[in-house]
Amino acid sequence: MRTFWGLMRAYWLSDRWKEAWTLTLVIAALTALSSKADVWFTRASAELMNSISFFHDAANVTPVQTLLGNAALLVFLVVLKDAGITGIRNLVSTTLHRKWRGWVNGRFNDALLDGNHTHFHAQHGSPAAAAPDNIDQRVQESIKDMTAGAIGLAMGAFGVATALYFLGGELLRNSVAVKGLDFLGDYGTAVLALIAVALYVPFNTWIAVKLGGMLERLNIRMQKAEGSYRGELTTFLRRSFHVAASKGEVVQKSMHNRLYDDIDTTWSCLNIINTIYMGFELVYNFVGARIVAYGPGLVPFIHNGLDLKGYLTGSEQINALIQRCSYFIHVMPAIATLRANSQRVTELANAIENVQHPQEFYSQTGRSDFRYDRQNPVFGLTIQKLELTHQGEDATPFLSAANLRFRRGEWTFLKGESGCGKTSLIKAINGLWPYGRGTIVFPDGARSFYAAQEVKLQQVSLKQLVCLPGTENDHSDAQVASALYKAGLGDFISHMADESRDGKIWDQILSGGQKQKLVVARIVLQQPGLLFLDEATGALDPEGKIAFHQAIRDNCPDVTVISVMHEAVAPRSLAGAEFYHSVVTIADGIATKRPLVPNLPVELTTILAHPKPVEERWLKFPRRMKQK
């Protein structure tokens, strides 16, 4: 789906091809029937006009009955065509629209939300591969409008083909000779009609294409401007408290005005081009219906080669043919919108494809040479020759770590000045830092859990929030209730099945501290082997921080913890025991690891912090350690 035509045909070649082709063939059949109904309609219309013209003719012995009969037949055909055939076709086409859009939407959701974290990497573009703006708009509005426009365009194109077949055939059957063009024989009026259509429609279609190109470019600009403004409004509402606390309304208002000015300017240009197009289309319709359509049969009618009924019938059929063949002119604004939407969607598809191999993607704009491996879980987590940089081939490393090893069950406190790279180190370990090099070897079979400082909750049930990253079917209600209780959120156990309370979602109900307790419940439930805490206790008071750590210590005895905190000293238990066994200090761009207690090996620090009896672990120490 990386090209326009690839995007257009993907659904019809997918595993849902039977559904797609069935609906398409039904639409095609109804479109052909609608074109055939145009022939019936033109005949009935000509009969009605003829009955009006000869109402007072002496040969017309039943003028009223003939007039009413022709009028009733015309009304019946209008109802059959517009309310019946066209109405049913609309229902089938909108069903196809719904199915196709749902399929495309599902493909993009699957692609963005894969295990590769594509949604994350796709938003970190570079000069070589710019990140797509307003992904939400592309997935929703652009896909919806694109699929609707494509179906409408396809129906119109097929309608042109069927009109040429049915109406063209009718013109040939009713054709008569034209004086001065005797060499054409009885096909004179038909040839004139086709020449008139062939000259009139393509030339004006060319004009429409030029105007449509301008509309397409303006539509793309409008979508970008609208998306940027909407995105800023969404972001603003999420940080509403911070704007109020900093009294930043004036700056925010200025930003909104600047973004809306872009919308207003583009909208003004779009309105001008739309107005020009509307005037062009109205003039085109009048000339086509009243001049071009009635021209080919005029000469034979003047020379009595056609009676009034034949002349009117032929003119109506030429007019119907012009209208059908003018479909592209009538829908050129929609075509421009379709092309704009398809471009937005294919850009997103290309962006998704580009980041399927993140290191290759980031290597276009910098050095990205990370290697991730697995080893026996006994050896824990190992980091070797790690260097983190920013974008750029010659970027200087801002953080280096020659050799860091984190044993199973070891708790490590990561400290350093703000901006030294603590969070970047954790991101790199988890494959979320783009530039640099090094080797990260994970314990085989160990699950990782990354807890960030800011907790954003999705609009799902409380049980599902606790079960993340799994689903609510992975754990029983009793297990989730136990995890909530151990995390200090026992008061919410009775609301596990609720997505909201008092009209508010959980993200609005829970305080910052409660959200971080919810993270503890997830950790207790998931039992990860590796736990990364990125300032995950920032919203808790000192007692809350101790309870946070104690809950993990009591319920996850073998977990390896690497934690970033702003505190100069790592928290201790209420009994004064150390939670952490070691500390990684980042200074001058170098990360070094040492035992938390000076002059003591990590093994001894582990004993002092572990609740098991000292004798039980002392017996396992090497003799050289005992001698120390």
Side-chain angles (χ1 to χ4, degrees):
M1 299 193 295
R2 300 179 64 186
T3 63
F4 174 79
W5 290 112
L7 189 63
M8 291 298 104
R9 65 174 177 260
Y11 176 49
W12 281 262
L13 299 178
S14 70
D15 56 347
R16 301 259 294 271
W17 65 272
K18 291 183 180 179
E19 170 188 271
W21 282 106
T22 299
L23 293 171
T24 301
L25 292 175
V26 172
I27 293 171
L30 291 171
T31 301
L33 187 58
S34 178
S35 295
K36 184 62 177 177
D38 281 341
V39 175
W40 304 331
F41 177 82
T42 56
R43 290 176 182 173
S45 178
E47 288 285 355
L48 178 60
M49 295 178 69
N50 190 61
S51 63
I52 294 173
S53 299
F54 290 94
F55 187 84
H56 298 291
D57 191 282
N60 190 357
V61 294
T62 56
V64 175
Q65 293 90 329
T66 302
L67 178 64
L68 293 178
N70 289 332
L73 177 60
L74 186 62
V75 170
F76 170 76
L77 290 173
V78 169
V79 173
L80 174 66
K81 179 178 180 294
D82 294 340
I85 299 172
T86 305
I88 295 173
R89 187 182 69 168
N90 179 71
L91 177 61
V92 179
S93 65
T94 52
T95 301
L96 177 60
H97 178 206
R98 179 171 57 85
K99 298 286 187 180
W100 185 16
R101 180 201 175 186
W103 182 84
V104 177
N105 185 78
R107 299 292 76 71
F108 274 97
N109 274 329
D110 290 344
L112 285 167
L113 299 172
D114 59 1
N116 187 48
H117 308 306
T118 294
H119 63 93
F120 173 79
H121 298 302
Q123 298 179 78
H124 291 73
S126 62
D133 63 288
N134 305 305
I135 291 178
D136 58 333
Q137 182 195 52
R138 293 172 188 259
V139 172
Q140 286 299 303
E141 296 177 12
S142 295
I143 289 178
K144 178 183 178 182
D145 294 341
M146 180 201 69
T147 49
I151 292 171
L153 179 61
M155 288 194 302
F158 188 72
V160 171
T162 55
L164 285 171
Y165 178 78
F166 290 114
L167 291 171
E170 190 72 6
L171 285 171
L172 288 173
R173 280 191 294 273
N174 297 327
S175 180
V176 297
V178 178
K179 188 174 182 180
L181 298 174
D182 300 314
F183 65 92
L184 294 176
D186 290 338
Y187 295 110
T189 55
V191 172
L192 283 180
L194 293 175
I195 290 174
V197 173
L199 291 175
Y200 185 66
V201 175
F203 174 72
N204 286 279
T205 301
W206 177 80
I207 296 175
V209 168
K210 294 298 182 182
L211 292 173
M214 300 172 67
L215 289 173
E216 177 186 348
R217 291 188 291 273
L218 288 170
N219 267 304
I220 293 174
R221 278 179 53 188
M222 191 69 173
Q223 287 191 26
K224 290 181 178 179
E226 291 275 14
S228 297
Y229 186 46
R230 185 184 65 183
E232 177 55 37
L233 283 173
T234 302
T235 303
F236 156 65
L237 293 174
R238 289 177 178 172
R239 62 174 183 238
S240 179
F241 168 76
H242 302 286
V243 173
S246 63
K247 298 181 180 179
E249 284 81 1
V250 174
V251 174
Q252 190 71 40
K253 188 189 302 182
S254 174
M255 186 185 303
H256 288 177
N257 290 338
R258 175 172 54 81
L259 291 172
Y260 191 80
D261 283 344
D262 190 19
I263 294 175
D264 190 65
T265 302
T266 306
W267 198 355
S268 175
C269 296
L270 195 58
N271 288 341
I272 293 172
I273 302 301
N274 273 321
T275 302
I276 294 173
Y277 197 94
M278 182 180 68
F280 158 76
E281 187 177 4
L282 290 173
V283 173
Y284 170 84
N285 288 339
F286 174 80
V287 173
R290 293 293 175 261
I291 306 298
V292 178
Y294 282 81
L298 184 59
V299 174
F301 176 70
I302 292 174
H303 293 89
N304 293 319
L306 276 175
D307 59 8
L308 179 61
K309 176 183 175 182
Y311 176 52
L312 294 174
T313 301
S315 299
E316 286 295 317
Q317 289 172 349
I318 295 172
N319 181 36
L321 185 60
I322 290 174
Q323 293 303 312
R324 286 286 188 172
C325 292
S326 302
Y327 178 77
F328 296 104
I329 294 176
H330 299 320
V331 300
M332 189 56 67
I335 293 174
T337 303
L338 166 64
R339 288 177 60 85
N341 284 312
S342 64
Q343 180 177 331
R344 302 277 286 170
V345 177
T346 52
E347 284 175 354
L348 177 58
N350 280 303
I352 291 173
E353 184 65 25
N354 288 338
V355 300
Q356 290 308 297
H357 303 285
Q359 291 200 33
E360 294 179 10
F361 170 70
Y362 291 120
S363 293
Q364 300 175 40
T365 53
R367 184 167 189 175
S368 184
D369 188 19
F370 295 102
R371 188 173 69 88
Y372 296 89
D373 207 345
R374 294 280 175 176
Q375 65 184 2
N376 191 302
V378 172
F379 301 108
L381 173 68
T382 303
I383 298 173
Q384 298 173 336
K385 299 180 180 179
L386 183 68
E387 292 182 350
L388 303 185
T389 64
H390 294 293
Q391 184 176 305
E393 292 291 343
D394 301 323
T396 303
F398 64 86
L399 176 62
S400 300
N403 188 15
L404 299 177
R405 181 180 175 187
F406 304 90
R407 295 175 175 83
R408 182 168 59 182
E410 180 182 1
W411 287 40
T412 303
F413 174 38
L414 188 57
K415 62 185 295 186
E417 296 182 354
S418 296
C420 68
K422 299 186 295 294
T423 296
S424 301
L425 175 59
I426 291 184
K427 287 182 177 180
I429 296 172
N430 287 274
L432 299 176
W433 185 262
Y435 301 108
R437 65 175 180 175
T439 301
I440 297 97
V441 186
F442 287 90
D444 194 23
R447 290 186 298 174
S448 298
F449 191 103
Y450 189 153
Q453 178 182 15
E454 190 175 9
V455 183
K456 294 292 185 182
L457 303 181
Q458 294 138 304
Q459 190 172 346
V460 293
S461 68
L462 179 60
K463 180 182 178 182
Q464 177 63 79
L465 289 173
V466 179
C467 290
L468 287 173
T471 69
E472 58 186 350
N473 298 323
D474 295 337
H475 303 278
S476 66
D477 289 350
Q479 290 173 317
V480 175
S482 175
L484 284 170
Y485 177 79
K486 292 175 180 177
L489 296 174
D491 294 341
F492 295 99
I493 290 176
S494 59
H495 301 282
M496 286 194 305
D498 299 337
E499 290 188 3
S500 61
R501 286 181 62 187
D502 302 325
K504 295 182 179 181
I505 62 175
W506 290 106
D507 193 57
Q508 299 170 318
I509 294 172
L510 300 179
S511 65
Q514 288 173 325
K515 290 178 183 178
Q516 293 184 334
K517 290 181 180 180
L518 183 64
V519 171
V520 176
R522 290 177 182 172
I523 296 168
V524 170
L525 186 67
Q526 301 294 336
Q527 292 290 303
L530 291 172
L531 177 58
F532 302 93
L533 303 176
D534 189 0
E535 300 183 24
T537 59
L540 298 172
D541 57 23
E543 292 183 358
K545 292 178 182 179
I546 293 174
F548 182 100
H549 286 81
Q550 193 65 57
I552 298 172
R553 169 68 72 187
D554 292 342
N555 295 282
C556 306
D558 295 323
V559 65
T560 299
V561 179
I562 301 176
S563 177
V564 174
M565 287 181 287
H566 278 306
E567 288 80 356
V569 179
R572 298 180 179 181
S573 70
L574 292 176
E578 297 281 2
F579 286 120
Y580 290 88
H581 312 131
S582 56
V583 58
V584 170
T585 303
I586 299 177
D588 299 324
I590 306 296
T592 55
K593 183 172 179 282
R594 61 176 177 79
L596 187 60
V597 180
N599 302 322
L600 289 180
V602 171
E603 291 87 344
L604 188 54
T605 307
T606 303
I607 287 179
L608 295 176
H610 204 281
K612 290 186 179 180
V614 173
E615 294 80 7
E616 180 180 338
R617 293 192 170 264
W618 182 257
L619 294 175
K620 299 180 181 180
F621 266 51
R623 178 172 299 178
R624 59 180 180 83
M625 291 294 183
K626 295 179 182 179
Q627 291 174 348
K628 291 184 180 180

